[in-house]
């Protein structure tokens, strides 16, 4: 798949929004393509392929522009 590299950051809920320690699953996964950001549970992230993540990011961008 072409396009900008996806930036994936695993975050903690407590303290809220802090990066999870290296190797930890985290509580929330933040995915960004540099213009849009998506937040998923670790399970949702692990079940999604790159193409699905890019589709969801694109859908997020369309949803915001229609709001």
């Amino acid at each position: 798949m072409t396009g900008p590299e996806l930036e994936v950051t695993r975050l903690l809920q407590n303290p809220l929004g802090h990066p999870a320690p290296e190797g930890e699953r985290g509580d929330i996964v933040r995915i960004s393509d540099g213009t849009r950001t998506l937040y998923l549970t670790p399970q949702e992230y692990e079940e999604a392929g790159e193409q699905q993540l890019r589709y969801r990011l694109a859908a997020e961008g369309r949803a915001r522009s229609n709001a």
Side-chain angles (χ1 to χ4, degrees), residues 1-60:
M1 187 92 207
T2 61
E5 179 113 8
L6 295 180
E7 181 181 328
V8 177
T9 307
R10 293 179 180 270
L11 303 171
L12 300 173
Q13 286 185 335
N14 189 14
L16 186 59
H18 284 248
E22 188 68 34
E24 293 293 320
R25 190 171 187 219
D27 302 309
I28 304 165
V29 181
R30 179 178 63 209
I31 300 101
S32 176
D33 64 1
T35 59
R36 295 168 299 256
T37 303
L38 184 64
Y39 293 88
L40 302 174
T41 66
Q43 182 174 349
E44 290 173 322
Y45 172 71
E46 291 161 5
E47 292 173 353
E50 183 177 349
Q51 186 174 9
Q52 185 179 15
L53 292 172
R54 289 185 182 280
Y55 174 82
R56 290 180 73 170
L57 282 164
E60 177 71 17

